[in-house]
Amino acid sequence: MRDGKHLRLALILGVAGLCLITLIMAPMMMISSFPSFPSVTGETRPDCGEDARAAEDLSETATSDIPEEYLKLYREHGRKIGVQWNVLAGVGKRETNHGRSTLPGVRSGTNYAGAAGPMQFLISTWGGKAKIKIPSTFNGYASDGDGDGWADVYNPADAILGAAKMLKRNGAPEDVRRSLFVYNRAWWYVDQVMEIAGKYAKDGEVTTPPEADESCDEPMLEAAPTSTVAAILEYALAQRGKPYIWGGTGPAGYDCSGIIYMAYRSVGLTIPRTTFGQWPFGIEIPEGEEQAGDLVFFNSGPGTGPDRPGHVGMVVSPGKMVEARCRLCGPIKVTTYRERTGIVGFTRPLQHPQILAQIKAREQG
């Protein structure tokens, strides 16, 4: 639904890997309209450190308009999930004026469209019930943002965390306009939230977090354990912004295992094409010992499990991976995996005897 970044060349096509599906929601429409929106840009080189969050400089509008509790939650959950805090705040303002609205569906019940809570989730999109015990099995964005063991759509901590996850799945932080369009399918709504988000940032911008900025690639490549890993990462990172395509191996787009297969191919190394083949191929690595170039696997629902994971990403730095997640999950991007559920394990393809032989032959050749 959104245009990707410019395409770079890759190779050939292949077969499929499994990845995830997404949901839609229809939040209610309220608060005043806003005529314009700022661009999603970054004119200067960002600070690429773990704690760098340029957009967290608060404007006077933010500190005066956003209740202290909500401001803390927007910043905390935006950082945790990897989306712009001020976009979360823009949604909260547009939907319920940060929970201050007295209209039906904000504190109890639902509005005319069936939406509930401060971030206006459809109950079906939340998980089927307004309050869900955590952990439990459900299909939706229900989240426990305050650690009380419940995902309550009317609880600001829970609702804001759920909204952050929904924006992340649907394109944020890179394609934030697309993620907002999925949140409420109207471009005027997207424009209004972006306008509010810009007013909440001290610099007036809706910036892209450092891990999504290409100028932050160099430190990751320099930290790669070998030149081979650096070259694999360079290929994978160059595919950011391209769409998920089931069975894709480039150049137009990739599926979850396709981008990894082609990244290894780019340096003359051949690993299995599908997620199901990649999982048993690599040498298993204990959690916490993974490094750049390793693979992280996930249980992705029906037909997958601990011995048959259905989704895979490539570790690019501690706690972060590049992944092609699903067709409706936004473009290929760098994401945080430590907060994700369903991790099956980590493997290191470069330690497989066949790959070691390929590397040796390449070096001798």
Side-chain angles (χ1 to χ4, degrees):
M1 297 182 188
R2 304 295 304 145
D3 294 330
K5 297 180 181 175
H6 63 281
L7 305 180
R8 297 184 177 90
L9 294 179
L11 302 169
I12 326 203
L13 42 83
V15 289
L18 295 175
C19 294
L20 304 172
I21 63 170
T22 191
L23 302 166
I24 62 170
M25 88 195 284
M28 72 182 189
M29 305 170 184
M30 60 178 63
I31 321 292
S32 59
S33 63
F34 294 81
S36 62
F37 56 91
S39 61
V40 183
T41 59
E43 297 300 327
T44 59
R45 181 182 177 89
D47 178 354
C48 298
E50 276 298 304
D51 296 325
R53 303 288 166 182
E56 287 193 351
D57 290 334
L58 301 173
S59 68
E60 292 184 4
T61 300
T63 55
S64 64
D65 184 51
I66 305 173
E68 184 177 354
E69 175 194 4
Y70 275 72
L71 181 56
K72 178 181 178 181
L73 292 170
Y74 293 137
R75 291 164 64 100
E76 175 185 339
H77 293 320
R79 181 187 298 109
K80 178 179 181 180
I81 300 303
V83 301
Q84 296 92 334
W85 75 268
N86 52 336
V87 173
L88 271 177
V91 172
K93 174 68 174 180
R94 180 63 186 76
E95 294 296 346
T96 66
N97 195 20
H98 308 302
R100 290 179 293 217
S101 171
T102 59
L103 291 176
V106 178
R107 296 180 177 85
S108 63
T110 62
N111 74 339
Y112 68 93
M119 303 302 279
Q120 289 295 278
F121 276 91
L122 291 177
I123 297 300
S124 59
T125 304
W126 183 250
K129 296 186 294 184
K131 191 172 183 178
I132 299 172
K133 181 67 177 176
I134 301 295
S136 63
T137 301
F138 59 90
N139 187 17
Y141 293 96
S143 303
D144 179 10
D146 58 4
D148 67 354
W150 291 91
D152 184 349
V153 74
Y154 302 106
N155 181 324
D158 298 348
I160 291 170
L161 178 57
K165 290 178 179 179
M166 185 171 184
L167 292 175
K168 180 76 168 184
R169 174 169 289 188
N170 292 302
E174 299 91 342
D175 199 348
V176 68
R177 287 181 58 80
R178 180 190 183 282
S179 72
L180 288 169
F181 182 79
V182 176
Y183 202 97
N184 185 357
R185 294 178 179 273
W187 288 115
W188 56 261
Y189 175 89
V190 175
D191 293 350
Q192 290 177 11
V193 172
M194 291 292 282
E195 173 69 8
I196 298 167
K199 290 180 177 180
Y200 284 158
K202 189 173 183 179
D203 61 5
E205 298 288 342
V206 178
T207 58
T208 302
E211 63 265 26
D213 195 299
E214 292 185 7
S215 62
C216 288
D217 291 354
E218 187 174 347
M220 285 194 289
L221 299 179
E222 290 177 347
T226 68
S227 59
T228 297
V229 172
I232 291 170
L233 296 187
E234 186 172 13
Y235 179 94
L237 292 169
Q239 311 316 310
R240 283 173 301 182
K242 294 183 181 181
Y244 173 93
I245 297 178
W246 191 82
T249 52
Y254 303 80
D255 66 10
C256 61
S257 57
I259 186 174
I260 292 167
Y261 173 74
M262 293 308 298
Y264 276 79
R265 280 282 300 272
S266 73
V267 297
L269 303 177
T270 301
I271 65 173
R273 163 63 184 90
T274 68
T275 306
F276 295 153
Q278 290 171 2
W279 167 240
F281 182 81
I283 304 302
E284 193 163 358
I285 303 296
E287 184 175 1
E289 296 182 17
E290 69 273 11
Q291 62 186 25
D294 292 346
L295 307 184
V296 51
F297 292 85
F298 301 83
N299 178 356
S300 61
T304 72
D307 59 345
R308 189 176 167 84
H311 181 61
V312 62
M314 180 189 295
V315 177
V316 295
S317 65
K320 298 187 185 302
M321 65 179 172
V322 60
E323 66 170 339
R325 189 166 184 179
C326 73
R327 186 175 64 84
L328 297 178
C329 298
I332 293 168
K333 69 182 80 173
V334 173
T335 61
T336 300
Y337 60 78
R338 285 179 177 159
E339 301 296 337
R340 289 268 283 274
T341 60
I343 292 180
V344 172
F346 301 83
T347 69
R348 187 166 296 163
L350 290 171
Q351 290 298 310
H352 190 283
Q354 292 180 20
I355 298 299
L356 292 174
Q358 292 175 30
I359 293 174
K360 183 177 181 179
R362 187 184 63 174
E363 291 174 346
Q364 291 177 343

